[in-house]
Every structure is written in structure tokens, then in C-alpha cells.
Amino acid sequence: QVQLKESGPGLVQASETLSLTCTVSGFSLTSYHVSWVRQPPGKGLEWMGRIRSGGSTDYNSALKSRLSISRDTSKSQVLLKMNSLQTEDTAIYYCTSPPHYWGQGVMVTVSS
Amino acid sequence: DIVMTQAPLSVSVTPGESASISCRSSKSLLHSNGITYVYWYLQKPGKSPQLLIYRMSNLASGVPDRFSGSGSETDFTLKISRVEAEDVGIYYCGQLLENPYTFGAGTKLELK
């Protein structure tokens, strides 16, 4: 059974770095891509970037300068780091193995 | 970036009747392999998006056959026949043809 689960701090200070972890089960990170998608409160979905099964990455150009996605295949984890956080980065952050599988999401609030 | 435009932004439906949601892409989503990379998701209140339709017209596993997807290269439709209470939520179309993946703004379905 495929599962993805996000974890990380619920509250981050502005200008600091966000670190999130997506732990997957039921599939191998070397076989499927994993993306990060975020959703500000009451708003729509924004694709942030992905790490491909081969380990290469693609980023949304709007976030590329601040975003890094990596993985630890031994732990079945995908890691997201985003620096210089602003209040506009307050959102639910989802990891997904598109198109079918999504995590439950983790709410991140950026405090000024 | 490919822009996905949904209409209407909200729809109110009497249970048992049908509903249609439109989505238009700013670029053809038809790949040279013959696959059209448009997807439909339903996000129920407080939940992660769940896949309804993949590759324009394929029903995702476990999704009732009251849902159907159709379209052309740039114009797509999600039809829900015999709307039920469990269909309430926000519907998103999305394109997974090229980076960055993008989504429509969402259509909120409510019951009359």
C-alpha cells in the first residue's frame, strides 16, 4: 500500500529556512518521481518541484532560487528545504507521487 | 508556464442531477505519444486532493463511474452524473505535461 507522510515544524520565523521530510512506503524512490505541492489557506495548488526516480530535480522557476529537494533512499525519505521564508509561504505542504498518491499534508505557518 | 482556466468557479447542484466543469489550457496538452496529460482532482474539506480522472478520460481506481472526463487538446470537461452529497468539495484540473505542473483555480461544488 502506497503511503506518503510529511513531517516538519508547524511554525517557522520569517527569513529562516524551512525543512520538511516526506517519508514514503509501498514504493521505491528509485522507481517513481516525488513532487512537493503547496496550498496557501483558502487558495489553490502550486507545484513547487520534484525529484525524479533517477535523482535529478526540477523546480518551479518562481521558487528555484530558494528551494532544494533531495532524498535519502536508505530511509525512503524526500527532503525539502526552502530559505528566506516570508509570511506568503504560509501553506499546507503536500508531497505527492503524481498523479495518484498524496500525503496528508503538513501546515506550515511563517511568523513575522 | 501553461495556464489552466476553469469555469465556473462555483456550481450549485440538486442531488441526483448532473454537473459539468470546464477547463481550458493555454497550450495543447496532447503529447506526441498520443496521451493528453490533463488530470482532475477533488479536494474534500480538510483533505488532500484525490485523483478522479487521469490522462483526460481514464477513471482512477475506486472512483464511481458517475465521473467522466473528456476533451480535446486544450478544452476539457469533467462531468458528474447523479450528484451525491459525497461529491461536495473543490474540483481542480491540472496538467502534468511539462514543468512547472500547473492547476486551475478550482471549482467549488455545493448542493442545493
Side-chain angles (χ1 to χ4, degrees):
Chain A
Q1 181 183 3
V2 172
Q3 290 187 323
L4 302 93
K5 186 172 184 179
E6 306 87 349
S7 59
L11 182 66
V12 183
Q13 297 299 312
S15 80
E16 293 189 344
T17 296
L18 173 66
S19 295
L20 297 176
T21 300
C22 174
T23 303
V24 310
S25 58
F27 70 98
S28 171
L29 293 178
T30 59
S31 298
Y32 294 93
H33 307 335
V34 171
S35 287
W36 286 93
V37 173
R38 68 178 181 176
Q39 184 174 37
K43 297 190 176 181
L45 303 167
E46 179 185 29
W47 182 83
M48 301 178 70
R50 70 175 174 183
I51 187 161
R52 299 183 186 225
S53 56
S56 62
T57 52
D58 302 288
Y59 298 111
N60 188 323
S61 59
L63 300 170
K64 188 173 184 177
S65 64
R66 301 194 290 139
L67 184 62
S68 174
I69 298 174
S70 61
R71 70 184 184 184
D72 184 336
T73 55
S74 68
K75 295 182 179 179
S76 293
Q77 292 180 335
V78 175
L79 311 173
L80 176 148
K81 291 188 184 297
M82 189 164 68
N83 58 32
S84 304
L85 287 182
Q86 301 301 316
T87 56
E88 308 86 82
D89 295 313
T90 293
I92 299 173
Y93 287 75
Y94 297 101
C95 62
T96 168
S97 182
H100 292 81
Y101 304 108
W102 293 67
Q104 63 190 20
V106 59
M107 180 68 202
V108 175
T109 301
V110 181
S111 172
S112 58
Chain B
D1 299 359
I2 297 176
V3 177
M4 304 293 285
T5 303
Q6 283 184 238
L9 294 184
S10 67
V11 62
S12 184
V13 185
T14 300
E17 296 191 343
S18 64
S20 288
I21 300 170
S22 295
C23 178
R24 176 169 292 178
S25 60
S26 61
K27 176 182 175 179
S28 172
L29 299 184
L30 176 61
H31 192 275
S32 57
N33 62 10
I35 296 172
T36 303
Y37 286 89
V38 66
Y39 299 75
W40 289 96
Y41 296 88
L42 165 60
Q43 187 173 32
K44 297 183 179 181
K47 300 294 186 181
S48 307
Q50 62 182 87
L51 181 68
L52 298 174
I53 301 289
Y54 64 98
R55 297 179 179 179
M56 191 170 72
S57 59
N58 297 277
L59 197 64
S61 176
V63 175
D65 60 7
R66 300 183 290 102
F67 292 88
S68 62
S70 63
S72 63
E73 296 185 23
T74 59
D75 289 273
F76 313 101
T77 301
L78 175 72
K79 182 175 181 180
I80 313 166
S81 58
R82 305 181 307 277
V83 168
E84 299 183 2
E86 66 178 18
D87 301 335
V88 166
I90 301 176
Y91 291 79
Y92 294 96
C93 60
Q95 66 83 16
L96 275 65
L97 177 67
E98 63 182 43
N99 297 334
Y101 298 161
T102 48
F103 300 90
T107 296
K108 187 173 185 179
L109 186 145
E110 299 175 319
L111 298 182
K112 284 184 180 175

